[in-house]
Amino acid sequence: MEKIDLSPWRVEHKTGLHLEEIDTRAPRIFPAEEDALAHQTKKLSDKLNKLQATLHASRSRALLLVLQGMDTAGKDGTIRHVFSHVSPLGVRAVAFGAPTEEELGHDFLWRVHDKVPVLGELTIFNRSHYEDVLVTRVRGLIDKDICEKRYRHIEHFESLLHDCGTVVLKCYLHISKHEQKKRLQARLDDPHKQWKLQPSDFADRKHWPQFMKAYEEVLAATSTAHAPWYVVPTDSKPHRDLFIAALLVQTLEKLDMKMPRPSFSLSDVRLD
Ligand code: AMP
Ligand code: MG
């Protein structure tokens, strides 16, 4: 299987980012036919499974995957599909909702630091500390000055995680406003999906341009060599899953981890 070059979707640090110029539809370099797509995704899932087992056994590194995006962009779906073949023993997903009163009494990274992966673990954040510079900014809860200070705190925080062995990957799930409408309508129509809806989904949709502007600023300000952002085209769910599985596999392969040797001599044990 040829390696997919994901670099065109990697955000460069502090350069102007224009989300409307990035297609939300399936990238052309990915297979269009369902069978080829499913085949490639399955192969990547198998690889991810093996890499995660090595990560877990060697306990020398950790991986944090941050998922951000507008409502219905597919944060939950990504977690369900991309990690469906991975052992739950070494994977944890954490969702961040609006902060509690206690959490608001602390600095904004307090609740987040508590949930980062330990060595050997793969943790997925469904929303994250980035809400503290996105939704808070759009709703006018913080001003530009506080926001810029938070960018610095985030950069230092992620740099600390990196220095302690954690690989930080951040994906912005890039959905079009039109596709979001279809998905919100599908949730309104399906009794099994209605529970997911919140009034804020509709309020946030009204502020779509402000959210896009906030995302553009945040992604450019906080995409670094040690914690890069990727803009993941996400109107097609199977392509989104393939993108993220490929990104994880490529990132974990680069770590060149080895299964540890047993701590005792195998020739010393006798099986009755
Ligand atoms: P959902 O992920 O769709 O279930 O909804 C979680 C909600 O919590 C979203 O509306 C987020 O914007 C909101 N949220 C998450 N983190 C924060 C935060 N730090 N400050 C304010 N709202 C937040
Ligand atoms: Mg929601």
Side-chain angles (χ1 to χ4, degrees):
M1 182 173 53
E2 232 178 87
K3 191 176 149 194
I4 307 169
D5 178 14
L6 300 173
S7 61
W9 291 276
R10 188 180 163 127
V11 179
E12 296 306 322
H13 188 43
K14 293 195 175 148
T15 51
L17 176 70
H18 301 286
L19 285 173
E20 79 276 4
E21 288 170 9
I22 305 175
D23 208 332
T24 53
R25 294 170 300 177
R28 275 166 201 243
I29 58 161
F30 287 18
E33 318 77 48
E34 235 172 82
D35 284 358
L37 188 60
H39 178 71
Q40 204 160 340
T41 307
K42 169 79 176 66
K43 274 188 148 178
L44 284 168
S45 294
D46 292 344
K47 275 195 182 178
L48 182 59
N49 188 8
K50 290 204 179 92
L51 285 159
Q52 185 271 329
T54 313
L55 179 82
H56 181 68
S58 60
R59 290 182 201 276
S60 56
R61 307 300 295 268
L63 195 146
L64 173 63
L65 174 67
V66 171
L67 297 178
Q68 282 289 155
M70 299 296 285
D71 285 295
T72 77
K75 300 179 289 293
D76 299 8
T78 300
I79 297 169
R80 256 198 324 277
H81 293 112
V82 175
F83 299 94
S84 59
H85 295 286
V86 172
S87 166
L89 282 174
V91 177
R92 202 158 43 99
V94 184
F96 290 96
T100 62
E101 210 169 304
E102 187 192 13
E103 288 167 347
L104 280 173
H106 289 271
D107 68 84
F108 76 103
L109 291 170
W110 179 74
R111 67 172 183 162
V112 179
H113 205 167
D114 186 48
K115 303 289 185 217
V116 298
V118 295
L119 293 177
E121 200 176 33
L122 197 164
T123 298
I124 309 134
F125 280 179
N126 179 338
R127 302 191 192 269
S128 63
H129 42 302
Y130 283 97
E131 291 294 324
D132 295 284
V133 283
L134 286 161
V135 71
T136 45
R137 188 75 204 280
V138 171
R139 292 191 190 149
L141 301 174
I142 59 165
D143 62 20
K144 191 167 186 285
D145 186 43
I146 292 181
C147 195
E148 280 170 2
K149 282 189 179 139
R150 287 187 177 183
Y151 294 157
R152 283 211 316 279
H153 293 308
I154 288 174
E155 197 173 329
H156 290 150
F157 171 60
E158 291 175 353
S159 178
L160 167 71
L161 299 181
H162 168 81
D163 289 349
C164 296
T166 300
V167 177
V168 183
L169 274 180
K170 303 177 295 199
C171 288
Y172 164 64
L173 303 186
H174 188 33
I175 189 176
S176 65
K177 196 174 177 203
H178 176 69
E179 178 64 23
Q180 193 206 40
K181 187 175 184 181
K182 286 207 293 200
R183 294 189 189 176
L184 282 174
Q185 189 61 56
R187 284 189 187 178
L188 284 166
D189 295 341
D190 183 348
H192 287 283
K193 289 186 178 168
Q194 285 163 356
W195 69 272
K196 274 196 165 191
L197 292 166
Q198 291 170 338
S200 64
D201 301 353
F202 302 93
D204 288 349
R205 183 175 162 82
K206 287 200 170 47
H207 294 109
W208 192 273
Q210 291 88 331
F211 270 102
M212 291 306 107
K213 198 165 163 287
Y215 266 110
E216 284 172 350
E217 189 182 300
V218 167
L219 301 189
T222 60
S223 194
T224 55
H226 58 262
W229 273 109
Y230 285 81
V231 174
V232 182
T234 221
D235 282 1
S236 158
K237 295 175 186 176
H239 289 88
R240 167 204 75 199
D241 294 341
L242 177 61
F243 187 115
I244 295 178
L247 179 62
L248 288 165
V249 166
Q250 289 176 16
T251 305
L252 287 169
E253 275 178 347
K254 265 197 243 149
L255 300 181
D256 201 22
M257 297 172 293
K258 302 272 184 294
M259 273 294 183
R261 298 292 307 149
S263 55
F264 58 94
S265 167
L266 294 182
S267 55
D268 289 348
V269 283
R270 294 276 170 273
L271 266 178
D272 319 317

